């Protein structure tokens, strides 16, 4: 399968999958493979389930057969038109220029049109030729191949295949090639028939006119005969041209020769002006088609491929866990989530722990209100030095109660726990935990946070009855 | 830790958002475990972002530091009378770890610190600058690795920003980045990598590749998302159902129309979620609200008439609508030229081309219905809002994505080409795969239009 076919196959898979890659494939790829390649690999893998390439080659054959059929048809048309045009009447005279015009004017017109559309692809927006071909293909398929349409994705793939081969540049070259092919077979038929008829019939070539002069005709004929002459075909000379005017003269000896040269001119101009250009154009189109096929690429910025890239080439790989935890943590119990409302002792030693500036202000207000004598003693513990200082002093403080001001917006961590633990271990004084709730954390997290603090209290030997909550509003005012 | 490329350790105090940072950078909502408590992560876990075939940027999530005061005290207690550098202190500590079983989590962080090229120090901006954080930074600086402080919770903790910045500067950390894990901002992410570039001069090129690649991926995804939305818009604007002209039938067809469009919308939303690698459950359930019954007769839109140069005056425009035009065609210009200004023949030809089906339907007593303008507007605005939300959502977010729009807000501006687009789309009923007989969807004009819409969508975001 060449690259074009593989890409076509990938497009087929896309058509089957629809908007986003849904079919799963075993990812069996080496790390070095580019995304482009892995898309094709995936397509090949999926093809064995979906049988898409078989269907595609069926479509290819179908197109080929259709085009062959058409060209045979045109071959026959070409042949019979020669017979019709030249040899139908009883007479044995052929009006040379009329014959020429009949043959070539349609050819030139279509050639011109083709060129126009070829160079200006936007002129014909919706390719009628493509539609016509599609219509033909559809009809043929429905009529002659009803069982192949049983493939579950037949029409999807049908659309997909012909969309690729009949649209954009590919379609332009493909359809151009077809038109040239058809004209070529038409001319082939015509030329062959002409040779056969001329070989077996005796006709005289004449020309006639109402408005043109003899000189005009001479000039025209010479013009026409110029290239055949160069190529060595016998062509009529001046005298023979004059003689052929309405079959004016018939010198017996010359008549034979005259027939020969005129026939030769007719056949050679059919070949040179009809057959050869179409043949060359056909070759050119096929060459361009081949190049375009090689250039055919998947549009990887389409949402489908962007998603596929995420699937096939995830840009994250897990490196796993190192340094795993050796012992399990006991699940924390969430028993203490209810609001506790206990009384503060009347005289206490205040300690603020890790508060922000605004929280500290609130804390001071609170101390002033409830234990004014101790206000001067208030300490803010927020680093190693202050911790050590407090640990040294705690045994000697006067009041029997110590109130630790902490905030709910701070998370109780192991460091804090360790510190409070060592505090409570030092004296037998009773400790209180005052939780400042300044509504900084979201209410959904509040109860979890509160129970974390209760847990800390439990671990640090602070009685749960000694936990007090203190709410402050956004507009700071103590209650 | 990784053989090729770069490795980064993500460290910080407990609950600062380390695992969340990992999730957001990796675009992986499933990475690790995230909870609002200390000690959620209790191991070192890594993931690598691929840079190219051989190189990657490895990120390692670590347990939170919880007892830095104690740890720093221990570390600075070593070698009291000698001048010994930080790395040796750390190594000495790790060698004597068995004496401090309660600092096991911290030891994991220190090991990771020593093993990686660079450190992200995650800071919860809501916190004041406490002694324990200063100690953490001191400990980290022992590792002699470049450190980028990443300021998290920038939304809620904005007030502390200056305080933190000055403190960090005093501790000699200048390459600070603000990066919120929940309110994601792509340019902030790029800033992290750019800071890395300045700190790791020898990896500058590698990082530049990485930055480029991240940017390409980001815009690729954005483009794809816009295409998906534009596609939905085209599908829904072009859809129309044929129905017999009786109230009951119309009602039924309307229901079906609503159903089909809603289904298409939720499919599109799911695709977008998947594209942006969010979970399905992240979405607030919301059904496309259908405004004013949700349907209209395609034919009677004044816009459509004007396209063909038919300007109906006064009552005719209000009452008869395109019925007039149909009568013109069917009954042969009964109204005479007075009702119509502009080239009649051209207009009629246009009407015939465009409305052939409708006219036929009218003659046969059936009609076409399609989605009305208001509903389409809602559909459009919802998708724009959703896209906006997805672009700005970090993979550590837990709140639901709510893309409901209220139609009465001022800021619900429609694109300036809106009515032009609609007119165009209404004229291409074959562009919608939601229709019963949908034709070629890959029509090049349709693709072109989708591209045009998705390009203009950038202005809407
Ligand atoms: N609003 C908001 N919340 C965040 C942000 N970053 C993290 N969070 C929340 O903060 C909490 C802690 O996040 P984690 O990522 O678990 O923090 P961690 O640092 O990994 O915590 P440990 O593993 O316990 O050390 C979670 O509830 C997150 O949802 C952020 O930028 N904005
Ligand atoms: Mg964590």
């Amino acid at each position: 399968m060449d690259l074009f076919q593989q890409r076509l196959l990938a497009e087929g898979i896309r058509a089957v999958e629809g908007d986003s890659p849904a079919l799963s494939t075993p990812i069996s790829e080496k790390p070095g493979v580019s995304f482009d390649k892995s898309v094709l690999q995936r397509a090949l893998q999926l093809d064995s389930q979906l049988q898409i390439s078989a269907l595609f080659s069926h479509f290819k054959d179908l197109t080929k057969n259709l085009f062959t059929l058409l060209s045979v048809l045109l071959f026959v048309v070409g042949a019979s038109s020669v017979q019709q045009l030249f040899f139908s009447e009883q007479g044995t005279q052929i009006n040379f220029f009329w014959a020429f015009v009949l043959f070539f004017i349609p050819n030139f017109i279509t050639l011109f049109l083709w060129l126009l559309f070829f160079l200006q692809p936007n002129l014909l927006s919706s390719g009628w030729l493509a539609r016509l071909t599609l219509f033909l293909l559809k009809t043929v398929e429905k009529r002659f191949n009803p069982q192949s349409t049983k493939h579950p994705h037949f029409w999807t793939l049908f659309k997909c295949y012909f969309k690729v081969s009949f649209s954009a540049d590919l379609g332009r070259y493909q359809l151009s090639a077809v038109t040239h092919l058809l004209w070529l077979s038409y001319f082939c038929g015509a030329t062959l028939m002409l040779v056969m008829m001329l070989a077996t019939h005796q006709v005289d070539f004449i020309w006639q006119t109402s408005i043109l002069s003899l000189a005009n005709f001479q000039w025209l004929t010479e013009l026409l005969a110029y290239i055949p002459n160069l190529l060595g075909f016998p062509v009529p000379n001046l005298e023979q041209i004059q003689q052929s005017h309405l079959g004016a003269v018939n010198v017996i000896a010359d008549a034979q020769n005259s027939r020969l040269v005129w026939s030769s001119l007719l056949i050679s101009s059919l070949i040179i002006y009809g057959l050869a250009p179409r043949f060359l154009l056909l070759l050119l189109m096929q060459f361009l088609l081949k190049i375009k096929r090689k250039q055919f690429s998947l549009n990887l910025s389409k949402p489908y491929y962007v998603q596929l890239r995420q699937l096939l080439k995830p840009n994250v790989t897990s490196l796993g866990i190192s340094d795993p935890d050796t012992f399990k943590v006991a699940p924390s119990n969430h028993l203490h989530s209810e609001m506790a409302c206990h009384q503060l002792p009347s005289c206490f030693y205040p300690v603020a722990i890790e508060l922000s500036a605004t929280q500290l202000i609130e804390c001071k207000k609170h101390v002033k209100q409830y234990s004014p004598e101790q206000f001067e003693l208030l300490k803010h513990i927020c680093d190693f030095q202050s911790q050590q200082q407090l640990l040294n002093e705690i045994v000697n403080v006067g009041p029997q109660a110590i109130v630790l001001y902490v905030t709910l917006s701070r998370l109780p961590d192991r460091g804090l726990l360790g510190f409070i633990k060592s505090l409570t271990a030092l004296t037998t004084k009773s400790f209180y935990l005052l939780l400042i709730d300044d509504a900084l954390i979201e209410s959904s997290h509040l109860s979890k946070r509160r129970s974390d603090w209760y847990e800390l209290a439990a671990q640090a030997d602070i009685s749960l009855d000694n936990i007090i909550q203190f709410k402050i509003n956004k507009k700071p005012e103590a209650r | 830790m990784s053989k090729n490329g770069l490795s980064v350790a993500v460290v910080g105090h407990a609950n600062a958002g380390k695992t969340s940072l990992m999730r957001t950078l990796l675009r992986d909502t499933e990475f690790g475990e995230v909870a609002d408590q200390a000690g959620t992560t209790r191991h070192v876990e890594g993931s690598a972002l691929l840079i190219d075939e051989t190189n990657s940027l490895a990120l390692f999530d670590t347990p939170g530091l919880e007892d830095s005061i104690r740890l720093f005290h221990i570390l600075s207690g070593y070698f009291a009378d000698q001048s010994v550098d930080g790395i040796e202190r750390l190594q000495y500590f790790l060698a004597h770890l068995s004496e401090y079983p309660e600092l096991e989590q911290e030891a994991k962080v220190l090991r990771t610190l020593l093993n990686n090229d660079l450190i992200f120090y995650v800071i919860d901006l809501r916190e004041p600058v406490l002694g324990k954080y200063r100690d953490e930074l001191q400990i980290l600086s022992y590792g002699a690795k470049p450190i980028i402080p990443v300021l998290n919770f920038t939304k809620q903790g904005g007030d502390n920003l200056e305080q933190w910045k000055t403190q960090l500067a005093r501790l000699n950390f200048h390459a600070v980045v603000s990066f919120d894990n929940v309110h994601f901002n792509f340019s902030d992410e790029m800033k992290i990598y750019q800071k890395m570039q300045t700190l790791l001069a020898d990896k500058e090129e590698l990082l530049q590749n990485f930055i480029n690649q991240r940017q390409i991926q980001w815009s690729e995804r954005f483009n794809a998302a816009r295409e998906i939305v534009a596609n939905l818009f085209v599908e829904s604007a072009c859809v129309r159902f044929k129905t017999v002209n009786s109230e009951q039938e119309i009602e039924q067809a309307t229901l079906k129309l609503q159903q089909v469009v809603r289904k298409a919308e939720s499919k599109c939303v799911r695709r977008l979620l998947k594209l942006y690698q969010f979970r399905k459950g992240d979405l607030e359930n919301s059904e496309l609200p259908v405004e004013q019954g949700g349907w209209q007769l395609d034919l009677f839109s004044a816009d459509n008439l004007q396209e063909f140069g038919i300007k109906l005056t006064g009552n005719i425009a209000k009452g008869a609508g395109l019925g007039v035009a149909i009568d013109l065609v069917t009954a042969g210009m009964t109204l005479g030229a007075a009702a119509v200004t502009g080239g009649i023949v051209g207009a009629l030809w246009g009407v015939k081309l465009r409305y052939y089906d409708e006219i036929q339907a009218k003659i046969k007593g059936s009609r076409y219905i399609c989605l009305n303008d208001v509903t389409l507007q809602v559909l459009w605005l919802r998708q724009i809002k959703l896209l906006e939300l997805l672009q700005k959502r970090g993979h550590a977010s837990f709140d639901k994505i709510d893309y409901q729009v209220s139609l009465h807000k001022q800021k619900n501006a429609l694109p300036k080409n809106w009515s032009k687009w609609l007119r165009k789309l209404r004229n291409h009923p074959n562009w919608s795969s939601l229709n019963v007989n949908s034709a070629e969807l890959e029509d090049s004009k349709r693709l072109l239009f989708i591209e045009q819409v998705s390009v203009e969508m950038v202005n809407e975001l």
Side-chain angles (χ1 to χ4, degrees):
Chain A
M1 214 184 264
D2 66 18
L3 202 58
F4 171 70
Q5 282 168 321
Q6 287 184 23
R7 288 182 173 154
L8 193 60
L9 186 62
E11 282 288 286
I13 303 276
R14 178 163 86 99
V16 169
E17 283 183 309
D19 291 335
S20 44
L23 301 167
S24 62
T25 31
I27 300 173
S28 61
E29 45 168 311
K30 302 126 244 159
V33 185
S34 71
F35 173 61
D36 218 350
K37 286 252 171 58
S38 44
V39 170
L40 301 184
Q41 277 175 7
R42 175 174 183 268
L44 280 177
Q45 278 175 355
L46 284 175
D47 184 40
S48 54
Q49 302 169 24
L50 295 172
Q51 297 297 327
I52 292 175
S53 57
L55 202 58
F56 278 178
S57 54
H58 165 72
F59 290 146
K60 196 175 172 184
D61 294 343
L62 187 72
T63 349
K64 213 181 221 162
N65 292 344
L66 182 76
F67 291 156
T68 318
L69 190 79
L70 281 178
S71 50
V72 168
L73 203 71
L74 273 157
F75 185 89
V76 174
V77 169
S80 63
S81 67
V82 164
Q83 203 190 6
Q84 293 262 318
L85 284 176
F86 301 153
F87 302 98
S88 59
E89 304 148 36
Q90 286 303 83
T92 54
Q93 287 185 335
I94 291 180
N95 185 338
F96 181 86
F97 283 99
W98 183 232
F100 187 83
V101 163
L102 278 184
F103 257 103
F104 285 94
I105 294 300
N107 179 30
F108 283 138
I109 289 174
T110 52
L111 198 64
F112 175 75
L113 278 179
W114 166 78
L115 202 67
L116 203 66
F117 292 136
F118 186 75
L119 299 178
Q120 294 272 317
N122 294 332
L123 209 64
L124 247 194
S125 54
S126 45
W128 59 273
L129 196 53
R131 281 197 194 160
L132 180 70
T133 326
L134 265 184
F135 171 74
L136 282 177
L137 284 168
K138 238 178 204 172
T139 332
V140 169
E141 194 71 0
K142 272 186 185 151
R143 168 137 316 169
F144 298 107
N145 238 332
Q147 82 279 5
S148 76
T149 49
K150 287 205 183 98
H151 190 289
H153 304 290
F154 182 84
W155 289 113
T156 326
L157 291 170
F158 182 89
K159 266 186 199 163
C160 165
Y161 180 87
F162 289 107
K163 193 203 87 209
V164 171
S165 36
F166 283 167
S167 70
D169 281 352
L170 270 182
R172 203 141 56 95
Y173 296 137
Q174 175 76 69
L175 293 170
S176 299
V178 172
T179 42
H180 297 318
L181 176 73
L182 297 184
W183 273 103
L184 181 66
S185 44
Y186 174 79
F187 279 120
C188 277
T191 316
L192 266 179
M193 193 56 162
L194 193 65
V195 170
M196 264 166 52
M197 292 307 261
L198 288 176
T200 55
H201 290 67
Q202 178 175 331
V203 288
D204 291 315
F205 289 93
I206 57 162
W207 55 268
Q208 32 188 263
T209 179
S210 308
I211 49 172
L212 294 177
S213 68
L214 177 68
N216 286 128
F217 270 97
Q218 262 174 14
W219 175 78
L220 253 173
T221 317
E222 275 168 354
L223 191 73
L224 207 60
Y226 184 72
I227 298 175
N229 194 20
L230 280 184
L231 293 175
F233 287 95
V235 294
N237 55 24
L238 258 185
E239 197 184 344
Q240 284 164 329
I241 295 171
Q242 283 172 11
Q243 282 179 356
S244 299
H245 182 38
L246 279 173
V249 186
N250 265 317
V251 185
I252 305 296
D254 208 41
Q256 186 57 35
N257 196 21
S258 163
R259 275 184 215 117
L260 189 72
V261 287
W262 279 109
S263 310
S264 148
L265 180 64
L266 190 57
I267 291 169
S268 61
S269 46
L270 253 184
I271 291 174
I272 289 164
Y273 302 113
L275 214 142
R278 290 292 181 175
F279 183 64
L280 291 178
L281 279 172
L282 178 65
L283 287 186
L284 178 70
M285 285 307 119
Q286 253 157 8
F287 174 68
L288 288 174
L289 192 60
K290 216 170 226 166
I291 291 180
K292 274 289 158 207
R293 281 214 171 126
K294 274 203 188 113
Q295 288 172 352
F296 175 73
S297 61
L298 304 174
N299 181 358
L300 295 182
S301 64
K302 282 224 158 290
Y304 171 88
Y305 286 114
V306 173
Q307 271 170 286
L308 191 59
R309 190 197 289 274
Q310 288 176 354
L311 281 182
L312 292 182
K313 292 256 133 197
N315 59 353
V316 176
T317 50
S318 172
L319 299 173
I321 291 173
S322 45
D323 254 341
D325 210 21
T326 42
F327 59 93
K328 281 265 173 290
V329 238
S332 59
N333 46 339
H334 294 252
L335 289 174
H336 325 287
S337 45
E338 84 283 358
M339 276 283 243
C341 245
H342 303 289
Q343 282 301 307
L344 272 176
S346 53
C347 167
F348 58 84
Y349 183 79
V351 177
I353 298 178
E354 297 189 343
L355 299 184
S356 71
T358 41
Q359 286 157 351
L360 193 59
I361 291 170
E362 291 303 321
C363 164
K364 280 179 179 159
K365 277 188 195 159
H366 190 266
V367 176
K368 225 174 206 160
Q369 190 179 351
Y370 291 96
S371 187
E373 314 90 75
Q374 315 298 331
F375 180 69
E376 295 301 318
L377 297 175
L378 175 69
K379 288 219 162 53
H380 186 209
I381 311 298
C382 63
D383 55 14
F384 180 72
Q385 272 76 29
S386 51
Q387 281 187 6
Q388 293 305 314
Q389 214 180 337
L390 184 67
L391 287 173
N392 291 334
E393 285 173 4
I394 196 79
V395 213
N396 305 323
V397 298
Q400 278 308 300
I402 297 169
V403 173
L404 307 178
Y405 284 83
V406 291
T407 165
L408 271 178
S409 57
R410 189 111 316 107
L411 184 81
D413 57 28
R414 196 163 8 91
L416 212 55
L417 173 64
F419 170 64
I420 295 177
K421 245 183 179 169
S422 46
L423 259 187
T424 52
L426 274 178
T427 75
T428 52
K429 296 193 168 79
S430 56
F431 279 86
Y432 288 78
L433 199 62
L434 196 133
L435 298 177
I436 302 173
D437 176 7
D438 51 359
L440 277 184
I441 64 168
E442 292 151 52
S443 48
S444 53
H445 292 206
L446 198 63
S447 66
K448 172 81 181 68
R449 182 60 57 82
R450 201 179 282 135
S451 80
D452 284 348
W453 277 107
Y454 272 78
E455 211 175 301
L456 175 131
Q459 287 174 4
D461 272 337
I462 298 176
S463 155
L464 295 188
D465 294 334
N466 288 357
I467 299 178
I468 295 149
Q469 300 210 24
F470 163 53
K471 232 191 177 92
I472 49 177
N473 298 335
K474 281 272 174 200
K475 274 182 262 156
E477 55 170 35
R479 265 200 294 161
Chain B
M1 274 188 182
S2 72
K3 272 167 259 131
N4 291 306
L6 260 173
S7 63
V8 175
V10 178
V11 303
H13 192 78
N15 210 44
K18 300 174 291 300
T19 311
S20 301
L21 179 69
M22 294 286 290
R23 282 190 175 181
T24 304
L25 293 183
L26 297 172
R27 316 260 187 272
D28 181 358
T29 51
E30 307 296 325
F31 181 88
E33 223 182 296
V34 167
D36 191 26
Q37 67 180 53
T40 315
T41 310
R42 303 184 62 81
H43 52 236
V44 176
E45 186 175 356
S47 246
L49 287 164
L50 301 184
I51 301 178
D52 50 43
E53 300 304 341
T54 51
N55 293 300
S56 58
L57 173 71
L59 296 167
F60 290 93
D61 187 20
T62 62
L65 292 165
E66 292 193 49
D67 203 354
S68 55
I69 294 187
R70 172 121 190 278
L71 178 61
F72 183 58
H73 179 61
I74 293 168
L75 287 173
S76 47
Y78 293 142
F79 312 108
D81 41 357
Q82 305 162 42
S83 72
V84 160
D85 73 358
I87 296 189
E88 270 181 68
R89 285 173 198 275
L90 295 179
Q91 277 163 351
Y92 188 85
F93 169 77
L94 290 174
H96 295 82
L97 183 61
S98 51
E99 295 167 29
Y100 319 100
E102 70 282 5
L103 291 177
E104 199 203 355
Q105 302 298 332
E106 276 77 5
K108 291 176 188 171
V109 181
L110 297 185
R111 275 194 289 264
T112 324
L113 173 72
L114 292 173
N115 280 334
N116 288 286
D117 302 325
L118 190 127
I119 314 298
F120 289 163
Y121 177 68
V122 183
I123 292 168
D124 181 348
L125 255 193
R126 297 170 303 181
E127 298 279 286
V129 190
L130 298 170
K132 57 186 178 190
Y133 301 131
R134 280 196 295 267
D135 288 352
E136 280 169 12
L137 285 160
Q138 298 277 10
I139 296 168
L140 294 180
S141 67
Y142 280 175
K145 293 282 164 66
I147 297 178
I148 298 180
V150 178
L151 304 174
N152 191 15
F153 288 97
T154 52
K155 264 270 159 69
Q156 300 95 321
D159 297 344
N160 294 335
L161 185 66
E162 282 315 308
Q163 197 194 353
W164 268 104
K165 274 195 172 159
T166 46
Q167 270 300 328
L168 287 167
R170 284 170 78 167
L171 292 166
N172 241 332
F173 297 108
H174 299 284
V176 185
V177 201
S178 293
F179 183 78
D180 199 294
N181 294 321
V182 169
H183 307 278
F184 177 73
N185 188 338
F186 184 68
S187 60
D188 283 351
E189 186 186 335
M190 287 302 106
K191 271 186 207 139
I192 297 184
Y193 302 133
Q194 280 155 5
K195 286 271 152 66
M196 286 173 73
Q197 258 185 322
T198 56
L199 291 181
L200 299 169
D202 54 329
K203 303 273 188 184
E204 195 178 332
E205 207 172 320
L206 187 68
L207 278 165
Q208 191 56 50
N209 284 348
F210 180 64
I211 290 174
N212 294 345
Q213 195 207 334
R214 284 298 260 193
Q215 254 151 359
I216 290 172
Q217 279 168 10
W218 178 253
S219 56
E220 202 171 54
R221 192 163 66 169
F222 183 43
N223 292 342
R226 279 178 316 172
E227 195 180 319
I228 292 174
V229 171
N231 196 48
L232 173 72
F233 172 57
V234 170
E235 297 265 279
S236 337
C238 294
V239 66
R240 56 171 203 181
F241 285 173
K242 192 177 179 179
T243 164
V244 177
N245 195 3
S246 78
E247 227 165 83
Q248 201 185 3
E249 294 284 330
I250 287 182
E251 196 171 321
Q252 254 177 20
T254 311
L255 273 181
K256 201 169 133 218
L257 182 75
Q258 291 175 7
Q259 232 172 27
V260 164
V261 173
R262 281 189 173 138
K263 216 166 117 197
E265 196 211 22
S266 63
K267 196 169 139 204
C268 164
V269 169
R270 262 179 285 133
R271 269 183 93 186
L272 289 176
L273 270 194
K274 205 162 172 198
L275 188 68
Y276 278 82
Q277 290 161 302
F278 290 109
R279 312 177 204 94
K280 264 192 210 135
D282 283 349
L283 210 61
E284 191 77 75
N285 255 345
S286 89
E287 198 176 45
L288 177 72
V290 171
E291 305 288 328
Q292 298 156 17
W295 60 278
Q296 68 186 31
L297 287 171
D298 187 4
L299 238 41
F300 289 82
S301 142
D303 273 348
N304 283 333
L305 294 176
Q306 275 172 13
E307 190 183 7
F308 300 111
I310 300 179
K311 292 196 191 90
L312 300 169
T313 43
N315 315 334
I316 306 172
K318 282 180 209 132
L322 204 104
V324 177
I326 294 170
D327 290 340
L328 286 176
V329 179
T330 50
M333 290 200 275
T334 44
L335 275 171
V340 186
T341 59
I344 292 178
V345 178
L348 288 185
W349 180 242
V351 170
K352 186 198 162 294
L353 271 189
R354 163 62 189 89
Y355 291 108
Y356 182 75
D357 287 344
E358 276 94 337
I359 291 162
Q360 223 188 4
K362 166 110 182 169
I363 296 166
K364 290 191 181 156
S366 54
R367 57 199 334 189
Y368 281 97
I369 60 168
C370 63
L371 217 59
N372 71 3
D373 197 359
V374 192
T375 307
L376 269 176
Q377 285 176 17
V378 178
L379 181 97
W380 168 266
L381 291 170
R382 275 157 67 90
Q383 297 307 312
I384 296 292
K385 184 167 175 193
L386 176 64
L387 208 54
E388 216 171 338
L389 289 174
L390 289 178
Q391 285 277 98
K392 296 196 175 133
R393 181 179 173 89
H395 287 74
S397 301
F398 280 106
D399 47 344
K400 298 255 177 178
I401 303 172
D402 181 11
Y403 59 105
Q404 195 76 261
V405 290
S406 68
L407 245 201
H408 312 292
K409 268 189 207 150
Q410 283 292 309
K411 63 170 189 167
N412 281 337
L414 291 167
K416 64 175 194 305
N417 283 334
W418 176 261
S419 48
K420 217 169 95 194
W421 287 353
L422 267 198
R423 236 174 298 149
K424 179 153 189 173
L425 289 173
R426 300 289 201 202
N427 284 319
H428 289 95
N430 57 335
W431 279 1
S432 178
S433 69
L434 305 177
N435 283 327
V436 187
N437 293 319
S438 60
E440 310 140 58
L441 285 183
E442 304 275 342
D443 184 326
S444 60
K445 272 190 187 166
R446 180 181 190 270
L447 293 181
L448 212 68
F449 182 78
I450 285 186
E451 201 180 303
Q452 189 189 336
V453 170
S454 58
V455 165
E456 285 205 27
M457 215 183 290
V458 182
N459 305 332
E460 304 301 311
L461 289 168

